[in-house]
Amino acid sequence: MKKIRKFASAHKLNATKVLLICVFAALVLIPLVRMLTNINGESLKSVLSQESFLSLISNSLVATALSTLTVLILAYVLAICVERTNIKGKEILNILLVLPMLIPSISHGMGLVVMFGNNGLITRILGFGGNIYGLQGIILGSVMYAFPVAYLMIADVLKYQDCSPYQAADILGIPKWRQFTSITLPYLRKPLISVTLAVFTMIITDYGVPLMVGGMYKTLPVVLYQEIIGQLNFEKGSVYGLILLIPAVIGFIFDVLNKDKGNSTFVSGKMLIKKNKLRDGAAYIFCGCICFFLMLPIIVFGILAFSKRYPSDISFTIKNISDALRLNAGTYMLNSVKIAILVAVIGVVLAFVTAYLTSRAKTKMSKALHLFAITSAAVPGVVLGLSYILTFKGSFIYGTLAILIMANIIHFISSPYLMMYNSLSKLNENLENVGKTIGVSRFRIIIDVIIPQCKLTLMEMFSYFFVNSMMTISAVSFLSTTKTKPVALMINQFEAQMQLEEAAVVSLAILLVNLLIKGIVALIKKISTKKKVSVFTEEAM
Amino acid sequence: METKQPKLIVKDLKKIYEDKCALNSVSFDVKEGEFLSILGPSGCGKTTILRILIGLLDATSGTIIKDGVDITNAPASSRGMGIVFQNYALFENMTVLGNVEYALKIRKETKAVARERALSMIERMGLSEHINKKPGELSGGQQQRVAIARTMILNPEIILFDEPMSALDVATRISLRKEIKDIQKEFGTTMIYITHDQEEAFAMSDRLMVMKEANIEQIDTPENIIDHPANEYVQSFVIDNLQAKINSLVKYLR
């Protein structure tokens, strides 16, 4: 009897896993295959034989490589400034640095145009500039857009670095530069590879920045975007989609292999930071400059949103807000919020169930499901969007909010999934076994014990899904209709019609909504960790 | 006592994983109210036995008989056994009280009864002043007491311990040792206790089971094992190790 029951329960777990694998396959792999089958010899030939084809590839690679390198160097230096000096105001800095992550990439591009374009604010003040368009513009915008992500990742690694190897090296009299090459670099190698791949993929697949400031310097995602939006040429678009898929997939595979052999070191001592006023002073200056640079677009939007007529008359008005509302910004904002909430709720549930099955109900299917759950990270948003058009056009779901929600969930699920996977893996492995021996079902243990312990991660996941859904312009740009359009896509439209003030209003509105969600999550987090902190100090005493 | 049938009879228990044998046809029995230690190096099959006994793992073959009833295929929760895990596996989101009364609540015990029983168990374990604390606020020894209380609340006839002290410091170990023995006497509970610490096994057990590589090497009282070790292995793993420990201390105890 028991054997049968046991068999049935293992069977149920496996069946759920197979079902989820089918869901991921249906929403990732099948659309991709559909896109690839859309490529025919003719479209392939017409793309590859273009004179501009090689320069397109080299443009994308050069712009991405230079941006990635700049981001890495700046982010590393800033992380050192924050984690290895005694400067004050680190919390404020960390809050400020998150702000640029809360607006769409296209806003960063537009910010550059407003500041450094032919009629730009800064161009006019300084009396020169105007040549923002091109490679330099893409690099600047991409750095603004990708910098916070790189910084947060590197700072996190530095924060948890163990100081004992350095103490040992000091005692042995090993010079500082040797310590850097033989302790710091090996320690940072894997995390840095991860950061590099994340930033590289983020930049090479983004069309927002290059569309705004690329000018004649065309990159792959921009051409793909124009091919679909402007020409409705799906065959050629699919070829570009395939080409764009290549670096993303390579990056993804590298990242999986890189993380596989994790170097988990246990923290045994916090870094001791010596007093050094000169160093701290330099750190203040560097942090200040970076912050100012990253804040520029937001500051400029603040000015622009409340200016009468940029650039001729920048006296205060709130007319732009009512103008934006008159142009349906309110309706589209409502679309965005609806989408973001539904993506967050459904996404969190899907990611939680999947992560639970792969981390705490291990069977042979678990590895396969894990792989499926993270695969979507390898598909650039524009490529996902294109493959969804080709797959779902004509079906009942096409042209509804549902397809936008679906695309966003799939596009963003891998990070929140991994957050939950890590949290669940850290919980005691015997919780369900305790339940089994005292007669409590797995389901009850999940509800009563597992979920309460993962509350903070669940909230992080919610906020990740929400914020990214508010900002995204990639997959949704191909899938939305005039009715279902999310508000982030208005930025592009306003900019094209030279309604920069309204575009600034929309960017700020997105920022505000995201800030609100982030703020709520941070507040709840603070309240619940405060309790824990007091516990620790009590114990320490 | 001698005429009574054993509390637990284990016959030809075998566990084979895909590529390796974790348990090679072991047989033994445990008397009512007895304290049996299973001693052996890591990977010898100790934990496998425990997990099969309580029903978290299926044996490849063999039978388990408790009080004359075959329980080989009974669900874990209806075997009348409890288990205390190595890393406590407490419910971190619940208070001490919450942890202890949880099983009763789920079993549809009335709130008042559950509360009363939990409170008296917590008092018995000397945790009354910590009743509203979460496990994270307690020391390792206190956490292990909560885990024992959570198991004891269901009045199991047999308690299994899976290296319960391996994460604790020596002083805590010694005091908790005594407490576990006291519980055994007070409640007459049969206990099966896994350890890789020879000293602990000798200090606590009525009988000892020495294991090596999926097999039982010897099962007997501590005295008999010292006097008549079954083979080379028992001699070296148990007796020589204990002797070495004593020798290292004896020079200070003049």
Side-chain angles (χ1 to χ4, degrees):
Chain A
M1 251 287 280
K2 159 114 188 282
K3 283 236 156 127
I4 297 168
R5 192 157 359 114
K6 227 178 183 177
F7 180 71
S9 105
H11 222 65
K12 237 191 276 172
L13 287 175
N14 265 334
T16 321
K17 283 173 198 168
V18 172
L19 184 76
L20 283 173
I21 289 176
C22 291
V23 169
F24 284 116
L27 297 181
V28 184
L29 288 190
I30 293 175
L32 278 186
V33 171
R34 178 68 192 79
M35 184 190 83
L36 296 182
T37 56
N38 200 42
I39 297 172
N40 52 35
E42 204 180 317
S43 57
L44 200 62
K45 208 173 144 198
S46 79
V47 170
L48 297 181
S49 63
Q50 289 174 90
E51 251 174 72
S52 58
F53 179 70
L54 278 181
S55 72
L56 190 61
I57 301 283
S58 75
N59 282 356
S60 279
L61 288 176
V62 167
T64 308
L66 288 176
S67 310
T68 306
L69 192 67
T70 318
V71 166
L72 283 179
I73 294 170
L74 292 179
Y76 181 73
V77 176
L78 189 77
I80 291 281
C81 288
V82 172
E83 298 298 335
R84 297 283 186 271
T85 70
N86 291 317
I87 61 168
K88 296 196 174 66
K90 289 176 184 174
E91 289 83 12
I92 299 169
L93 190 75
N94 279 334
I95 293 170
L96 285 180
L97 286 174
V98 171
L99 293 183
M101 286 173 80
L102 305 180
I103 55 173
S105 63
I106 204 158
S107 296
H108 292 284
M110 201 194 80
L112 287 176
V113 173
V114 175
M115 291 183 289
F116 302 107
N118 293 329
N119 259 325
L121 227 50
I122 293 178
T123 314
R124 286 159 64 93
I125 294 169
L126 297 180
F128 65 88
N131 50 356
I132 189 69
Y133 301 98
L135 178 62
Q136 63 276 29
I138 298 179
I139 294 176
L140 265 181
S142 301
V143 169
M144 288 176 155
Y145 162 61
F147 179 89
V149 176
Y151 163 72
L152 289 179
M153 287 172 86
I154 297 176
D156 206 47
V157 174
L158 290 181
K159 186 180 283 168
Y160 295 110
Q161 192 180 3
D162 180 14
C163 73
S164 48
Y166 293 95
Q167 288 171 343
D170 278 340
I171 292 165
L172 292 170
I174 294 166
K176 287 280 177 221
W177 64 270
R178 283 283 295 171
Q179 293 186 16
F180 180 77
T181 53
S182 50
I183 303 173
T184 311
L185 280 186
Y187 173 74
L188 285 176
R189 194 174 57 100
K190 277 192 175 187
L192 274 186
I193 292 174
S194 268
V195 180
T196 310
L197 292 170
V199 171
F200 188 89
T201 312
M202 213 175 146
I203 296 176
I204 203 165
T205 59
D206 171 55
Y207 78 83
V209 171
L211 187 69
M212 285 289 134
V213 291
M216 298 307 289
Y217 197 90
K218 297 260 187 259
T219 62
L220 273 169
V222 171
V223 178
L224 167 59
Y225 175 80
Q226 287 170 340
E227 211 59 67
I228 303 298
I229 295 287
Q231 321 275 331
L232 295 177
N233 190 336
F234 295 112
E235 281 80 20
K236 270 177 96 174
S238 299
V239 178
Y240 290 120
L242 169 66
I243 298 170
L244 203 51
L245 202 53
I246 295 168
V249 168
I250 293 175
F252 171 77
I253 292 171
F254 262 102
D255 201 33
V256 170
L257 294 178
N258 180 45
K259 272 182 190 142
D260 222 25
K261 303 166 197 125
N263 59 344
S264 53
T265 46
F266 293 100
V267 195
S268 64
K270 251 193 148 181
M271 285 286 176
L272 290 170
I273 304 166
K274 290 187 196 121
K275 271 193 178 169
N276 184 339
K277 282 203 168 151
L278 195 70
R279 177 204 60 200
D280 288 0
Y284 274 122
I285 294 171
F286 186 77
C287 292
C289 290
I290 289 282
C291 256
F292 179 70
F293 171 64
L294 290 178
M295 283 309 114
L296 261 181
I298 295 170
I299 298 169
V300 168
F301 291 153
I303 300 172
L304 204 56
F306 300 101
S307 298
K308 266 196 183 132
R309 185 68 214 164
Y310 167 84
S312 46
D313 180 4
I314 52 170
S315 52
F316 181 83
T317 175
I318 53 163
K319 184 177 92 28
N320 297 323
I321 297 173
S322 54
D323 279 353
L325 287 173
R326 192 170 41 77
L327 292 163
N328 282 334
T331 319
Y332 293 137
M333 179 53 102
L334 204 62
N335 276 345
S336 280
V337 173
K338 267 191 224 163
I339 293 171
I341 288 177
L342 283 166
V343 167
V345 171
I346 303 170
V348 165
V349 173
L350 183 64
F352 176 83
V353 172
T354 310
Y356 183 85
L357 289 172
T358 54
S359 65
R360 298 191 71 86
K362 282 199 172 136
T363 60
K364 280 174 194 160
M365 300 302 292
S366 295
K367 270 211 165 138
L369 180 58
H370 180 76
L371 205 63
F372 270 94
I374 57 176
T375 314
S376 63
V379 186
V382 274
V383 177
L384 193 70
L386 170 59
S387 57
Y388 270 37
I389 305 181
L390 298 169
T391 311
F392 296 105
K393 195 160 195 173
S395 75
F396 68 96
I397 197 173
Y398 196 74
T400 63
L401 278 183
I403 196 169
L404 300 181
I405 292 165
M406 207 162 81
N408 281 347
I409 291 174
I410 291 299
H411 187 193
F412 298 125
I413 198 164
S414 100
S415 284
Y417 162 77
L418 286 172
M419 290 178 204
M420 190 39 89
Y421 180 86
N422 289 332
S423 287
L424 288 174
S425 304
K426 278 181 201 144
L427 295 184
N428 190 299
E429 54 177 345
N430 280 319
L431 293 174
E432 287 87 349
N433 282 336
V434 169
K436 219 168 169 185
T437 60
I438 61 175
V440 182
S441 69
R442 187 189 280 275
F443 183 72
R444 277 313 293 260
I445 291 286
I446 293 176
I447 301 287
D448 293 342
V449 181
I450 309 270
I451 289 180
Q453 291 191 49
C454 294
K455 258 188 305 193
L456 292 183
T457 312
L458 285 170
M459 275 167 20
E460 281 291 335
M461 292 159 73
F462 185 93
S463 128
Y464 181 92
F465 272 120
F466 186 96
V467 166
N468 280 294
S469 301
M470 284 301 295
M471 296 195 307
T472 188
I473 52 167
S474 58
V476 293
S477 63
F478 299 156
L479 297 170
S480 60
T481 64
T482 44
K483 250 187 166 171
T484 62
K485 189 156 80 176
V487 74
L489 293 176
M490 292 186 87
I491 298 170
N492 183 9
Q493 172 201 327
F494 282 145
E495 200 269 350
Q497 294 159 7
M498 287 310 287
Q499 292 166 308
L500 294 180
E501 296 86 351
E502 285 78 9
V505 168
V506 167
S507 297
L508 284 183
I510 293 174
L511 176 69
L512 278 181
V513 173
N514 279 341
L515 209 53
L516 192 71
I517 290 291
K518 280 262 174 192
I520 292 172
V521 168
L523 198 70
I524 301 177
K525 240 181 153 176
K526 202 167 184 185
I527 292 168
S528 48
T529 46
K530 216 178 196 173
K531 274 189 216 148
K532 265 188 199 151
V533 167
S534 67
V535 166
F536 277 123
T537 47
E538 211 180 284
E539 200 177 41
M541 280 191 248
Chain B
M1 280 290 276
E2 295 297 311
T3 52
K4 253 176 125 181
Q5 66 164 333
K7 183 75 184 167
L8 196 69
I9 302 171
V10 174
K11 261 193 278 187
D12 299 326
L13 211 55
K14 203 173 199 172
K15 179 71 188 176
I16 295 166
Y17 290 108
E18 273 158 31
D19 47 348
K20 77 173 216 280
C21 175
L23 220 48
N24 188 11
S25 256
V26 301
S27 302
F28 62 94
D29 50 32
V30 189
K31 298 187 195 77
E32 173 107 48
E34 188 179 31
F35 194 110
L36 175 79
S37 285
I38 305 181
L39 179 65
S42 31
C44 70
K46 314 181 288 257
T47 301
T48 308
I49 291 188
L50 223 57
R51 290 185 164 250
I52 294 174
L53 286 184
I54 196 148
L56 292 175
L57 200 64
D58 283 333
T60 309
S61 63
T63 45
I64 306 165
I65 292 161
K66 195 189 109 204
D67 296 324
V69 180
D70 185 340
I71 57 159
T72 315
N73 293 318
S77 57
S78 63
R79 293 186 177 201
M81 296 189 200
I83 185 165
V84 174
F85 288 102
Q86 190 172 9
N87 298 316
Y88 328 129
L90 293 175
F91 305 141
E92 302 283 336
N93 56 312
M94 298 180 193
T95 60
V96 169
L97 181 62
N99 268 281
V100 178
E101 68 178 359
Y102 181 66
L104 295 179
K105 275 182 166 171
I106 294 286
R107 295 193 169 199
K108 309 241 157 50
E109 200 74 67
T110 63
K111 224 177 169 183
V113 174
R115 182 61 49 94
E116 196 194 309
R117 283 181 56 192
L119 286 175
S120 82
M121 182 54 71
I122 288 167
E123 201 189 336
R124 169 65 191 79
M125 293 308 297
L127 291 164
S128 291
E129 55 181 309
H130 306 297
I131 206 149
N132 288 319
K133 287 188 187 162
K134 299 251 174 96
E137 303 170 59
L138 302 175
S139 71
Q142 291 165 337
Q143 291 191 39
Q144 193 54 287
R145 280 198 208 120
V146 178
I148 294 170
R150 183 178 64 182
T151 309
M152 289 294 296
I153 195 91
L154 293 173
N155 297 323
E157 299 156 67
I158 304 174
I159 298 190
L160 314 175
F161 292 89
D162 187 4
E163 303 202 28
M165 314 243 209
S166 53
L168 302 175
D169 60 81
V170 180
T172 313
R173 274 167 178 243
I174 290 172
S175 74
L176 205 54
R177 243 188 227 175
K178 187 176 169 309
E179 249 168 275
I180 291 176
K181 284 298 281 182
D182 287 349
I183 294 169
Q184 182 212 356
K185 282 180 199 136
E186 186 181 332
F187 295 88
T189 318
T190 309
M191 292 185 174
I192 302 177
Y193 187 100
I194 285 188
T195 178
H196 57 248
D197 182 336
Q198 293 86 354
E199 189 196 334
E200 201 168 276
F202 273 80
M204 299 177 82
S205 317
D206 298 320
R207 278 195 305 153
L208 259 163
M209 180 163 125
V210 183
M211 288 191 71
K212 179 199 167 194
E213 289 165 13
N215 288 298
I216 297 177
E217 296 293 309
Q218 186 169 10
I219 175 162
D220 214 327
T221 60
E223 294 84 359
N224 283 346
I225 287 184
I226 297 279
D227 291 344
H228 313 287
N231 52 37
E232 268 308 282
Y233 177 75
V234 177
Q235 172 71 36
S236 71
F237 180 71
V238 184
I239 302 174
D240 292 353
N241 275 334
L242 269 178
Q243 194 63 53
K245 221 173 203 173
I246 294 166
N247 289 347
S248 68
L249 294 172
V250 94
K251 58 184 169 186
Y252 300 109
L253 299 171
R254 295 249 160 86

